[in-house]
Amino acid sequence: MAESQPFSAEPCPAEYLRAALRAQVYEVAQVTPLQVMNKVSERLGNTVLVKREDRQPVHSFKLRGAYAMIEGFSEAQRACGVITASAGNHAQGVALSASQLGIPSLIVMPTNTADIKVDAVRGFGGEPLLFGANFDEAKAKAIALARERHMTFVPPFDHPAVIAGQGTLAMELLQQDAHLDRIFVPVGGGGLAAGVAVLIKHLMPQIKVIGVEAEESACLAAALHAGEPVDLQRVGLFAEGVAVRRIGDETFRLCRDYLDDVVTVDSDAICAAVKDLFEDVRAIAEPSGALALAGMKKYVQQHGIRDERLAHVLSGANVNFHGLRYVSERCELGEQREALMAVTIPERKGSFLAFCELLGGRPVTEFNYRYSDADNACIFVGVRLTRGCEEREEILAEMVAGGYQVADLSDDEMAKLHVRYMVGGRPSKPLRERLYSFEFPESPGALLKFLYTLGTRWNITLFHYRSHGTDFGRVLAGFELAEREPEFDHHLLALGYECHDVTANPAFRLFLAD
């Protein structure tokens, strides 16, 4: 076993190329296929290819970087073992890499990590240790244990050896198709984007490399705006594989210097991309795994790209099965194939028929209604679209021209998450009510903490929760409150959950308020 050569303080592209060429990742990793996505290609007017990193033994690209780093450790480092902190793909990559090399590995994972991920680490030969309420606490514990036990910490992205290992994917892409015009790469901590960008721009600079971030965890965009890595105040966990609060120092340097562009996408667009991957190549991607495709679709539309060869990386498939329900519900909105509306119609026989006739044969995907008034009814309705936003605007205009009062709820997050499941209940008496949206940690005791902290002084008038398979739960709660109650605000601060006053939300006013 030959130890890897040390890197300079700021490795140059040639140094990264040498490291990638010397990386022994194929002792454990696979050369993954590059497949054409025929349906998406036809729809976008470009040749779209997907790099299938879900085919790796750990169903993620993370194996490349983990093995590249661990394989280069000295005999002394190997004897003491390796340690990392992760609740996802990096954990499995480190566990399998260490096991392949006969090295003990300890993987610190947050206490709320799903059993399937803990079992996967154990199955790949790692020793899981559950600690802390979140990744930051688990990471702090791992670093402390590394010092205490003289183990070597394997970072998930911000190390040249890890970046070079991820860069082996770029070498494969060029060998599989040297005529690519653009490559779209997901960005979390930046290891994959940095490795791909630095090698592609060194070898074939005419190929554009575009990073794709989730709007709820766009740490690279924030760093580019600030001119240096910064901490995000909050990170959404739907695409948990890229849910990183702060981009790495070295990955930021490389992404800043070698990425051609960065695009961000929302959760609905990611859900639509998950569906595209399933329908085209029968891959079931995790949300972060479909991120690059979501970004590609948005970028093609924004820049009018036609007749190019476009590759994107399906970075992982360690999907939480229960999260697929949320994906299924939201993908039509992400593709702009469904409009959600609140429409006021007369409370008389034949009104629904007349309303559907005005839709001109467009299929109704959802209809929620409960009697509440002798004169008018407010319905929550979904309509399938074939021409996206343009058709949605046509429908809204037709509703107004037909004499209906209509509100477009297609982009109203509260309507999509909560109100659509709650239509039909109104208070039987006037209430002084305020409405809040909360993010509960998906861990035992979260609801009890909520109730204990707020106490029994304030009457809860509304409560809705539905699991979406992520690491936090979206909760909508109403309280009987005066307009100003400082003591209630103090209790909210003590609770420590992310929350927002959404009393003025139009979907709430239309369907649930008195």
Side-chain angles (χ1 to χ4, degrees):
M1 185 273 299
E3 293 179 28
S4 60
Q5 295 297 312
F7 289 88
S8 60
E10 289 192 355
C12 65
E15 203 170 339
Y16 273 111
L17 176 59
R18 286 194 297 270
L21 289 170
R22 290 171 174 170
Q24 303 298 309
V25 298
Y26 299 108
E27 292 177 355
V28 64
Q30 304 292 322
V31 175
T32 55
L34 183 66
Q35 286 183 271
V36 176
M37 296 184 67
N38 292 310
K39 293 180 180 178
V40 174
S41 295
E42 182 178 355
R43 197 162 80 236
L44 296 185
N46 294 277
T47 301
V48 175
L49 303 108
V50 55
K51 181 65 170 164
R52 295 289 303 273
E53 285 299 285
D54 59 309
R55 297 283 190 89
Q56 293 292 358
V58 299
H59 308 294
S60 161
F61 76 94
K62 285 287 190 178
L63 181 61
R64 296 175 183 269
Y67 195 85
M69 182 172 182
I70 296 171
E71 186 270 334
F73 285 169
S74 67
E75 292 294 346
Q77 288 175 307
R78 293 186 177 211
C80 291
V82 299
I83 187 169
T84 196
S86 172
N89 297 334
H90 179 62
Q92 297 172 54
V94 170
L96 179 56
S97 297
S99 177
Q100 180 80 7
L101 293 164
I103 302 171
S105 64
L106 181 62
I107 316 295
V108 185
M109 313 178 81
T111 55
N112 62 350
T113 302
D115 289 343
I116 189 171
K117 297 179 181 179
V118 178
D119 293 341
V121 165
R122 193 176 287 115
F124 286 125
E127 178 190 348
L129 171 64
L130 299 181
F131 182 89
N134 52 50
F135 170 75
D136 290 333
E137 292 181 11
K139 180 180 177 182
K141 179 66 172 179
I143 292 173
L145 287 172
R147 295 194 190 101
E148 178 184 321
R149 302 184 184 182
H150 306 292
M151 304 176 83
T152 302
F153 182 77
V154 182
F157 47 82
D158 199 25
H159 189 283
V162 174
I163 295 168
Q166 316 302 25
T168 59
L169 184 148
M171 306 294 292
E172 289 179 23
L173 276 173
L174 294 179
Q175 291 169 342
Q176 291 167 325
D177 191 334
H179 299 284
L180 295 172
D181 294 293
R182 301 174 201 264
I183 300 170
F184 292 80
V185 190
V187 181
L192 179 62
V196 170
V198 69
L199 291 185
I200 292 293
K201 301 313 274 187
H202 182 59
L203 295 170
M204 299 191 73
Q206 74 276 14
I207 299 177
K208 305 296 185 185
V209 184
I210 294 99
V212 184
E213 290 194 284
E215 283 184 356
E216 295 184 333
S217 56
C219 60
L220 174 56
L224 290 171
H225 179 74
E228 62 182 359
V230 293
D231 290 326
L232 297 178
Q233 289 189 345
R234 64 182 298 272
V235 172
L237 296 177
F238 170 62
E240 63 176 341
V242 292
V244 176
R245 189 175 299 275
R246 180 188 179 97
I247 196 166
D249 293 333
E250 176 65 0
T251 54
F252 171 68
R253 180 182 76 86
L254 296 173
C255 288
R256 178 196 62 202
D257 293 348
Y258 297 105
L259 280 180
D260 291 285
D261 209 344
V262 178
V263 60
T264 60
V265 294
D266 63 20
S267 295
D268 287 350
I270 295 172
C271 291
V274 172
K275 181 183 178 185
D276 285 329
L277 284 161
F278 176 75
E279 290 188 340
D280 227 317
V281 296
R282 293 298 184 266
I284 302 178
E286 62 186 280
S288 60
L291 179 61
L293 175 57
M296 173 191 289
K297 290 163 62 182
K298 180 177 179 178
Y299 202 84
V300 166
Q301 184 179 37
Q302 285 182 333
H303 297 274
I305 296 169
R306 302 283 295 182
D307 301 321
E308 290 191 357
R309 296 186 70 78
L310 311 175
H312 66 93
V313 182
L314 195 176
S315 57
N318 288 302
V319 64
N320 183 330
F321 182 78
H322 297 293
L324 292 175
R325 176 175 61 183
Y326 176 82
V327 171
S328 176
E329 290 171 353
R330 299 295 287 261
C331 62
E332 296 298 305
L333 291 164
E335 275 290 351
Q336 297 176 353
R337 293 176 181 171
E338 184 181 33
L340 297 181
M341 301 175 291
V343 185
T344 301
I345 65 175
E347 184 60 84
R348 61 172 180 259
K349 293 179 180 178
S351 289
F352 184 35
L353 174 60
F355 170 76
C356 290
E357 287 175 342
L358 185 60
L359 288 175
R362 297 183 181 94
V364 173
T365 58
E366 184 169 355
F367 186 84
N368 289 325
Y369 156 76
R370 191 179 190 283
Y371 178 87
S372 62
D373 184 272
D375 298 318
N376 293 298
C378 190
I379 60 172
F380 187 103
V381 61
V383 180
R384 189 173 303 282
L385 307 175
T386 58
R387 292 182 285 109
C389 286
E390 178 185 351
E391 186 178 8
R392 188 172 79 185
E393 294 301 322
E394 288 178 7
I395 293 172
L396 293 171
E398 290 170 6
M399 294 293 103
V400 173
Y404 293 104
Q405 294 180 19
V406 58
D408 183 7
L409 303 179
S410 304
D411 299 318
D412 189 318
E413 194 68 13
M414 201 177 89
K416 293 185 283 188
L417 279 172
H418 299 289
V419 175
R420 71 193 304 176
Y421 306 109
M422 303 174 69
V423 172
R426 291 180 183 269
S428 59
K429 63 177 183 178
L431 292 174
R432 294 185 305 175
E433 189 176 30
R434 277 162 60 186
L435 193 68
Y436 290 85
S437 65
F438 292 88
E439 289 185 2
F440 277 38
E442 286 283 14
S443 57
L447 177 58
L448 284 177
K449 179 183 177 183
F450 171 83
L451 296 173
Y452 288 146
T453 304
L454 294 180
T456 57
R457 176 175 170 182
W458 297 283
N459 181 39
I460 296 176
T461 58
L462 175 152
F463 196 92
H464 180 258
Y465 162 73
R466 197 161 185 260
S467 173
H468 295 300
T470 60
D471 290 346
F472 63 91
R474 301 278 182 89
V475 173
L476 188 68
F479 302 88
E480 196 167 7
L481 295 168
E483 189 170 337
R484 290 182 58 80
E485 292 220 23
E487 191 175 347
F488 180 80
D489 295 335
H490 174 75
H491 280 66
L492 285 182
L493 287 174
L495 178 64
Y497 294 171
E498 182 79 23
C499 73
H500 302 279
D501 188 328
V502 292
T503 309
N505 179 271
F508 168 65
R509 307 309 311 176
L510 286 166
F511 292 105
L512 300 174
D514 59 58

